[in-house]
Amino acid sequence: MPTTIHPSAIVDEGAQLGEDCRVWHFVHISAGARIGARCSFGQNVFVGNDVTIGDNVRIQNNVSVYDAVTLEDDVFCGPSMVFTNVYNPRAAVSRKAEYRRTRVGCGATLGANCTIVCGTTIGRHAFIGAGAVVNRDVPDFALMVGVPARQIGWMSRHGERLALPLTGDAEADCPATGERYVLRAGVCSLAGA
């Protein structure tokens, strides 16, 4: 399938977009961006030069993906969520050489209006609740809420809450798919993976 780009969008020469992407109203994708297949960019999205985006990523309206951000496959960025790339910005001080890299793992969800402070890694299939402020690394499958974000549980690949404690050893099935998840020494993983 060919990529669809709305006439009001700007895709700078040199940007790489995979097949079957949807680029909606007033989007700006910078020349250095590297984007996989089957991605969707909602109204008023900005994508910087030093950005890598995997396949099947959904970026909702009013999100800016700044330089030094990597989104792996199947990431969901909710409306108006925020990435940063400078930890201590000042208008009068140029800190472009100090950008801190941010990585969002495969299948992660970043809820509406959440903020991801630069230099963090969001684990695979993690779920960041709406409005949360993430200022430290997030484990795979972790459910994070609040300001600053704190872990309150675990989520399946399907986006269902798992009946697991935060720490220790336990096992639970995804209520939607029946997939088995294993918690060992506070690390959650899909059984057999």
Side-chain angles (χ1 to χ4, degrees):
M1 296 285 296
T3 288
T4 301
I5 300 173
H6 190 272
S8 66
I10 298 170
V11 178
D12 291 341
E13 186 174 343
Q16 295 180 8
L17 277 79
E19 292 184 358
D20 199 22
C21 288
R22 301 287 181 261
V23 181
W24 296 106
H25 305 72
F26 311 114
V27 170
H28 181 191
I29 298 177
S30 299
R34 302 295 175 257
I35 298 166
R38 299 175 312 283
C39 294
S40 177
F41 300 88
Q43 181 174 306
N44 201 38
V45 166
F46 169 77
V47 178
N49 278 301
D50 182 17
V51 170
T52 301
I53 296 174
D55 295 336
N56 199 43
V57 171
R58 303 284 179 258
I59 302 177
Q60 302 299 300
N61 296 354
N62 305 312
V63 174
S64 292
V65 185
Y66 295 122
D67 285 350
V69 172
T70 297
L71 306 177
E72 295 181 357
D73 295 347
D74 302 314
V75 168
F76 178 87
C77 296
S80 301
M81 62 80 46
V82 175
F83 290 103
T84 69
N85 58 12
V86 174
Y87 192 76
N88 55 337
R90 291 284 196 200
V93 180
S94 177
R95 292 201 163 103
K96 290 185 178 182
E98 299 175 25
Y99 288 170
R100 295 185 184 188
R101 301 206 75 77
T102 298
R103 176 174 292 277
V104 181
C106 177
T109 291
L110 308 178
N113 288 307
C114 74
T115 298
I116 309 300
V117 176
C118 59
T120 56
T121 297
I122 309 297
R124 295 175 308 113
H125 307 289
F127 197 103
I128 310 303
V133 176
V134 175
N135 62 358
R136 64 183 186 278
D137 291 351
V138 173
D140 293 350
F141 303 104
L143 172 59
M144 308 288 289
V145 300
V147 179
R150 67 191 186 289
Q151 186 177 358
I152 63 166
W154 303 98
M155 297 289 275
S156 74
R157 294 192 304 178
H158 195 74
E160 300 289 336
R161 191 145 181 197
L162 297 168
L164 292 171
L166 289 180
T167 60
D169 297 336
E171 296 186 11
D173 294 335
C174 171
T177 66
E179 289 180 324
R180 170 72 61 166
Y181 290 82
V182 177
L183 184 67
R184 294 289 180 261
V187 176
C188 185
S189 61
L190 185 61

